[in-house]
Amino acid sequence: MINSHRTGFATKLGGVLAAAGSAVGLGNIWRFPMEAGQNGGGAFILIYLACVLCFGLPIMIAEFVVGRHARANVGSAYGILAPGTKWKYVGPWAVLIAFLIICYYNVVAGWVLCYFYDALAGNFVQIAEQVVNGDPSAYVSNFNNFVTDPWKPVVCLLGTIGITHFVITKGVRSGIENSSRIFMPALFIILILLMIFAFNMPGTKQGIEFILKPNFDNVHPSTVLAALSQCFYSMSLGMGIVTYASYFRREANLSRNAISVAFMDTMVAIIAGLIIFPAVFSVPGVEPQAGASLVFIALPNVFGNALSSSPLLMWFVPVLFYALLLLASLTSVIFLHEVVTAWVAETFSFTRHRSAKIVTSLVILLGILCSLSMGILSNFTVAGLNLFDLLDTVTTKIMLPISGIMVCLFVGWKLSTRKLWVELTSHMTVTFKPIHIFVGLLRFVCPALIFVILVSGFIN
């Protein structure tokens, strides 16, 4: 039964910012620059924008349609729209994905919290002095010692999940919407400030040319696949954004909301590249495709070298950068937590507070195991993977693509044309002319492309 009296976002802007926060995460800030670095910079960005337009947007709009029409969390939405069918299993599958991701993602969010504290306390200035005094591996040692420590990452994990729990218990409007109205503008302000600093570094010209000047000599089929994968993961497709869409107001224009979310998500990724690459090219020997180590090892080293002439900037820029990462990670963790909490509350008729406590407790338990798998539990592996890497691999390479395919097939083939039209036109208050193109993409193009992502994940 569709719940028409369900609490939702109070304003259109709040809903868009919350949805954008669900998409904007650590992947925008380190995975996107890494992919661009490995696939020719500006050429990759052009291909990525095409993927967002023809692939990401249709799937996101489809999830918005499911959420708002069902007026229910993702775990229940498909069963409500297709009662008595096996489509009801699509929702719980997405809830399970969100739960598993938050368990290991929160570990990384804890790392970010620790690095933000270290930056604030001036610890990176001290490490920079160690490098100057003849210890070039000081940043590597600092990171390795931290992630393998049995208690420091766990304490930081508890810190981020504590913040998340507080926001979730405050509710959809007072918690999620209000925090998004603070976090997202703050995130963009920090992005702009960091970009200003980056543009004053020695490697500015080389960095900007690398990310904005297309070099199609480096474009291969793998480049297109990398752009598709980045688009899928960056926009949080298949992770349960249906739940956030169920909080949208009836008059909200779903296609416009999706475009706004995609625009903000893409802008964060591109601006992050404009920050990182000038900094990277300012210090010889640092590779722009270094991945996660770029954030926790290479960039602190870059900041220490490039800003060594100004102790104030050497302290202030890392503080801003890790504040940016912390905001991005928190908005994603809050989203994932809400997906699971809403399902528990509405499935078992629990209060929000009780549901949040259950989810938080389970996340802490599995999150601690993920954290310890990087250190004292590293010998416990499955197929050569510790628990952290196992959850990452299974969710991103197998479970998420399957979820994305099911979304496309459900909206493209199962959902009635009338229900689809009602939501796309916001109850006949707006126009949606490309409906035939939209349905065609969902029925044929998007599932095929996601299947390619799924197969490539198995091959790799």
Side-chain angles (χ1 to χ4, degrees):
M1 181 178 180
I2 296 176
N3 183 5
S4 59
H5 302 290
R6 195 158 174 268
T7 300
F9 295 123
T11 63
K12 294 179 183 179
L13 177 61
V16 170
L17 290 176
S22 71
V24 172
L26 296 176
N28 297 72
I29 300 170
W30 89 44
R31 194 173 190 268
F32 183 89
M34 177 189 71
E35 294 290 356
Q38 293 174 339
N39 292 282
F44 174 84
I45 292 178
L46 289 178
I47 296 171
Y48 177 80
L49 293 176
C51 291
V52 170
L53 182 63
C54 302
F55 175 77
L57 275 175
I59 301 176
M60 177 168 282
I61 293 172
E63 294 200 76
F64 283 1
V65 166
V66 171
R68 190 172 67 176
H69 198 76
R71 305 297 291 175
N73 69 85
V74 67
S76 305
Y78 293 91
I80 290 174
L81 298 182
T85 69
K86 293 186 177 180
W87 288 105
K88 66 181 180 181
Y89 297 113
V90 175
W93 180 259
V95 173
L96 178 60
I97 293 171
F99 172 72
L100 295 178
I101 290 177
I102 192 179
C103 290
Y104 72 83
Y105 192 97
N106 195 58
V107 174
V108 183
W111 297 352
V112 174
L113 179 62
C114 175
Y115 268 58
F116 173 68
Y117 171 80
D118 282 344
L120 203 60
N123 292 342
F124 290 132
V125 176
Q126 299 176 14
I127 298 175
E129 292 176 355
Q130 295 177 27
V131 174
V132 172
N133 293 330
D135 184 9
S137 63
Y139 289 103
V140 177
S141 301
N142 179 68
F143 178 70
N144 290 336
N145 291 338
F146 168 68
V147 297
T148 57
D149 190 280
W151 67 271
K152 285 183 180 180
V154 171
V155 171
C156 295
L157 178 151
L158 294 176
T160 55
I161 197 62
I163 297 171
T164 304
H165 181 83
F166 173 79
V167 172
I168 294 297
T169 55
K170 297 293 286 184
V172 174
R173 294 183 178 180
S174 299
I176 298 171
E177 184 173 359
N178 283 350
S179 65
S180 299
R181 293 169 71 95
I182 297 171
F183 288 173
M184 292 306 294
L187 186 148
F188 275 98
I189 291 171
I190 294 174
L191 275 173
I192 299 302
L193 288 175
L194 283 172
M195 188 168 64
I196 293 171
F197 285 121
F199 283 3
N200 285 282
M201 288 185 172
T204 298
K205 182 179 179 181
Q206 190 178 359
I208 292 176
E209 284 184 356
F210 178 81
I211 196 169
L212 294 183
K213 185 178 180 180
N215 181 5
F216 290 101
D217 292 337
N218 293 331
V219 173
H220 306 285
S222 60
T223 305
V224 179
L225 181 60
L228 280 171
S229 299
Q230 175 63 26
C231 174
F232 189 81
Y233 303 129
S234 180
M235 295 181 69
S236 297
L237 304 176
M239 295 184 191
I241 202 170
V242 166
T243 297
Y244 269 17
S246 71
Y247 302 140
F248 285 162
R249 299 172 69 175
R250 179 178 176 181
E251 65 272 21
N253 186 324
L254 296 187
S255 59
R256 184 178 297 172
N257 280 8
I259 291 171
S260 298
V261 171
F263 176 77
M264 284 188 273
D265 181 71
T266 304
M267 285 303 298
V268 169
I270 292 176
I271 295 174
L274 290 172
I275 293 168
I276 289 174
F277 289 123
V280 166
F281 284 115
S282 296
V283 178
V286 181
E287 295 296 329
Q289 62 267 30
S293 64
L294 183 73
V295 171
F296 295 107
I297 297 174
L299 279 178
N301 191 14
V302 166
F303 294 144
N305 279 273
L307 304 172
S308 58
S309 61
S310 174
L312 178 61
L313 288 181
M314 194 191 303
W315 170 81
F316 187 57
V317 172
V319 168
L320 280 182
F321 182 76
Y322 289 106
L324 170 69
L325 283 180
L326 184 60
L327 289 173
S329 61
L330 284 175
T331 56
S332 296
V333 173
I334 289 168
F335 157 65
L336 294 167
H337 199 299
E338 175 62 15
V339 170
V340 186
T341 299
W343 177 76
V344 172
E346 295 175 17
T347 301
F348 301 101
S349 299
F350 291 162
T351 64
R352 169 171 282 270
H353 281 262
R354 184 180 181 185
S355 302
K357 287 180 181 178
I358 293 172
V359 175
T360 296
S361 299
L362 293 173
V363 168
I364 289 174
L365 177 62
L366 192 53
I368 289 176
L369 293 176
C370 286
S371 180
L372 295 179
S373 73
M374 309 290 286
I376 60 175
L377 298 181
S378 60
N379 291 329
F380 293 90
T381 62
V382 176
L385 301 173
N386 62 34
L387 181 60
F388 181 99
D389 292 331
L390 179 66
L391 292 184
D392 182 23
T393 300
V394 169
T395 53
T396 58
K397 293 189 176 182
I398 301 173
M399 297 181 71
L400 269 176
I402 292 174
S403 178
I405 291 174
M406 291 299 103
V407 170
C408 295
L409 297 180
F410 180 82
V411 177
W413 293 98
K414 178 63 179 177
L415 194 65
S416 72
T417 304
R418 185 189 65 81
K419 292 177 180 177
L420 183 59
W421 184 250
V422 164
E423 291 303 328
L424 290 176
T425 61
S426 298
H427 298 267
M428 311 301 175
T429 60
V430 299
T431 59
F432 189 86
K433 295 181 180 180
I435 186 167
H436 296 297
I437 298 175
F438 172 72
V439 173
L441 288 171
L442 289 179
R443 287 183 174 181
F444 305 108
V445 178
C446 294
L449 292 175
I450 299 174
F451 182 74
V452 171
I453 295 173
L454 178 62
V455 172
S456 69
F458 274 109
I459 293 174
N460 292 333

